[in-house]
Amino acid sequence: MSGKTKDQAAILQKLGISQLNPMQEATQNAIAENDEVVLLSPTGTGKTLAFLLPLIKTLDAGLEQVQLLILVPSRELAIQIEQVIREMGSGFKANAVYGGRSGSKDRIDLKHAPAILVGTPGRVADHFRRETINTDYIETLVLDEFDKSLEVGFESEMLEIIDKLRSVRKKVLTSATQKVDIPDLVGLKNPEQLDFLDATSNRLSLQLVTASNDDKLSTLVQLLNHIQTGNGIIFCNFKDTIQEVSDYLWNQNIDHACFYGGLEQQDRERALIKFRNGTSRLLLATDLAARGIDVPALDFIIHFQLPPKQEEFTHRNGRTARMQQDGTAYLLKVKNERAPDYIRDVNEETLNQSAQFKNSEVTTLFISGGRKDKISKGDIAGLFMKQGNLTKEELGMIELKQDCAFVAVPSSKSKQLINQLNNSRLKKKKVRISQLN
């Protein structure tokens, strides 16, 4: 347990949220009144906060055991949920465990049991086998993006985990898709179902862009020049295509970050950090980015290649036009390319040839100290504003990790800030400050 537990009003104030959206309000009430809840809502609408707020109220602050288990399909989602819980400042310890993370780090974190454990089914099942986690006090189970966990082959691990949970009283399942059956292994009897999947569809505009000369790459650049501003994801079906598109964009001096399964975990995390804080306005990605990652509401997405299945098309489009916001999905194809049968109600986009895509004017700086050094976001903000002379408006997003931190600053001042602040002291640690490439 870390400090006193906070009530909901204090948590929302800390997060800078004045009002919950309709989905979050409905989810709060449903979880408070029912032991089984299935929530269907598009990716990025705030599902994590929707289920965490009411479930944190059920935890016992005096019990130093795992009480809430959240199973997720990917490392990114595990890290994201852990981060949200930390930012809530609820007073309850939370840890994320997932494949690709060292077992020794897990053992250190789990030595003092967290109240909330977030993890991928493979890693959680492994801990259950090793008996590093006491399952006796786990009364609540959340299966976040449960259909994705089944899709990526975690069914046997999920069955193994659920079989060992003898004390579970409350179950919450979430998904961003409707066409999915709840597996028998979950053991739901009479769940309350909330469906918010149609809440954003009427705000999404589908625009078709046809390459005039059968050259998709040059047409992509023309489209980006036409769009000019805003943040978006360019979806490709294969990592080889991403490499090809990335090389072409760099040659055209269009800044971007890349995100796909073949990248090292650290590179994937840092690509998302740069995209979140505005250093990269474009994320070039496979369907790994279609759901389960924490990125801001997007102004547009581009299908450089259309996915073979309608379901992935829907998930990709769900990254934009979220709750109460408009968004555009651009479909890129060559002249004789046949669009999949699921493509309907698309408008032809006429490109403005004289416009120019605007790269970001923000740079990410890396700081070699983090949470384990007792460094807070406030410490970092103080350093950059007092010694670096940045205004509150100039200081961008700060992301604090266990052993490092990242801060967004104006590109025009990044070199000056590095010269001024490198080797400064934060708390008791002398930190290195450098540009994140």
Side-chain angles (χ1 to χ4, degrees):
M1 204 58 53
S2 55
K4 293 179 181 177
T5 57
K6 287 186 180 174
D7 64 16
Q8 182 164 310
I11 289 171
L12 293 178
Q13 186 178 7
K14 190 170 191 298
L15 294 172
I17 295 171
S18 57
Q19 192 176 356
L20 297 175
N21 65 41
M23 178 274 290
Q24 292 168 329
E25 291 278 10
T27 303
Q28 282 225 100
N29 295 334
I31 289 176
E33 294 167 10
N34 300 275
D35 287 337
E36 298 178 339
V37 175
V38 177
L39 170 61
L40 306 178
S41 188
T43 301
T45 48
K47 289 197 292 289
T48 303
L49 191 61
F51 66 71
L52 281 174
L53 282 170
L55 292 180
I56 278 173
K57 292 177 186 173
T58 68
L59 301 179
D60 180 353
L63 178 62
E64 295 194 359
Q65 297 287 352
V66 179
Q67 301 169 57
L68 166 57
L69 174 63
I70 304 171
L71 293 181
V72 296
S74 68
R75 306 168 187 175
E76 281 75 26
L77 192 49
I79 293 165
Q80 173 192 327
I81 293 174
E82 182 189 36
Q83 186 84 1
V84 170
I85 297 166
R86 288 190 194 282
E87 287 173 359
M88 289 170 78
S90 66
F92 288 101
K93 184 174 187 259
N95 289 116
V97 296
Y98 45 86
R101 187 177 189 265
S102 80
S104 60
K105 278 188 177 178
D106 280 2
R107 284 191 293 277
I108 292 165
D109 283 345
L110 298 175
K111 195 172 182 182
H112 298 286
I116 306 168
L117 182 68
V118 190
T120 50
R123 183 55 68 98
V124 171
D126 183 58
H127 279 295
F128 277 21
R129 286 180 216 121
R130 294 171 187 270
E131 299 184 349
T132 47
I133 295 166
N134 184 344
T135 61
D136 293 346
Y137 300 92
I138 299 174
E139 295 194 347
T140 305
L141 173 65
V142 176
L143 302 182
D144 198 16
E145 304 280 12
F146 73 92
D147 55 303
K148 192 73 178 169
S149 287
L150 295 170
E151 194 181 295
V152 296
F154 280 133
E155 185 163 358
S156 62
E157 287 91 345
M158 288 166 75
L159 184 59
E160 184 183 346
I161 290 164
I162 291 168
D163 193 49
K164 285 188 169 72
L165 299 176
R166 304 293 185 188
S167 307
V168 166
R169 298 178 184 180
K170 198 177 271 288
K171 294 174 183 174
V172 178
L173 278 67
T174 84
S175 176
T177 185
Q178 203 157 25
K179 295 180 180 176
V180 62
D181 294 323
I182 297 167
D184 293 339
L185 64 90
V186 184
L188 293 190
K189 295 178 179 70
N190 186 28
E192 177 75 7
Q193 185 157 312
L194 303 174
D195 188 348
F196 284 84
L197 290 175
D198 292 330
T200 60
S201 58
N202 58 346
R203 291 184 167 269
L204 178 70
S205 168
L206 292 178
Q207 300 294 122
L208 182 67
V209 178
T210 305
S212 55
N213 54 0
D214 281 0
D215 181 0
K216 265 192 177 180
L217 288 168
S218 65
T219 306
L220 172 63
V221 171
Q222 288 171 29
L223 173 58
L224 290 171
N225 287 340
H226 169 77
I227 293 170
Q228 288 185 276
T229 61
N231 303 310
I233 298 179
I234 303 169
F235 281 105
C236 301
N237 292 347
F238 310 104
K239 63 182 180 183
D240 291 350
T241 312
I242 286 185
Q243 196 57 59
E244 181 188 358
V245 176
S246 179
D247 290 345
Y248 191 85
L249 291 181
W250 285 126
N251 287 335
Q252 301 294 316
N253 295 314
I254 294 177
D255 190 15
H256 60 278
C258 295
F259 183 83
Y260 55 90
L263 285 174
E264 291 290 328
Q265 180 65 23
Q266 185 184 77
D267 294 332
R268 277 158 55 172
E269 279 184 50
R270 292 184 176 187
L272 291 181
I273 287 167
K274 289 168 74 175
F275 188 55
R276 272 196 291 268
N277 70 23
T279 295
S280 300
R281 290 188 37 229
L282 297 173
L283 187 69
L284 192 50
T286 58
D287 285 324
L288 187 65
R291 53 181 167 153
I293 60 167
D294 180 24
V295 295
L298 304 180
D299 302 292
F300 62 89
I301 62 133
I302 298 172
H303 300 274
F304 184 79
Q305 293 170 308
L306 284 163
K309 294 181 182 175
Q310 181 173 1
E311 190 180 340
E312 286 309 325
F313 180 70
T314 303
H315 287 312
R316 288 180 180 186
N317 293 342
R319 305 273 14 161
T320 186
R322 296 180 187 173
M323 294 281 183
Q324 313 306 316
Q325 291 184 322
D326 296 324
T328 306
Y330 295 97
L331 286 56
L332 204 57
K333 73 177 192 71
V334 294
K335 260 189 179 174
N336 297 319
E337 182 182 353
R338 187 175 176 276
D341 293 336
Y342 61 73
I343 301 294
R344 301 180 197 92
D345 303 323
V346 184
N347 306 308
E348 188 80 41
E349 183 85 0
T350 305
L351 301 183
N352 176 359
Q353 301 298 325
S354 61
Q356 185 70 41
F357 181 78
K358 294 180 174 65
N359 283 324
S360 168
E361 295 179 355
V362 172
T363 294
T364 302
L365 299 186
F366 169 85
I367 301 170
S368 67
R371 204 178 284 112
K372 70 175 175 57
D373 305 300
K374 311 293 185 195
I375 293 169
S376 70
K377 287 185 180 182
D379 296 327
I380 294 169
L383 176 68
F384 278 81
M385 289 167 73
K386 289 171 186 167
Q387 288 174 241
N389 298 316
L390 284 187
T391 64
K392 193 175 181 182
E393 291 71 33
E394 288 176 318
L395 185 66
M397 183 186 285
I398 298 168
E399 290 213 22
L400 191 61
K401 304 293 182 186
Q402 195 65 13
D403 54 4
C404 63
F406 304 88
V407 58
V409 300
S411 299
S412 59
K413 296 190 175 182
S414 60
K415 285 182 181 173
Q416 170 198 327
L417 287 165
I418 291 169
N419 289 336
Q420 273 181 287
L421 304 179
N422 190 29
N423 293 320
S424 294
R425 281 203 175 274
L426 276 173
K427 288 295 200 296
K428 294 180 180 177
K429 184 178 174 73
K430 186 187 271 192
V431 295
R432 296 190 318 279
I433 297 176
S434 58
Q435 183 169 329
L436 182 65
N437 295 316

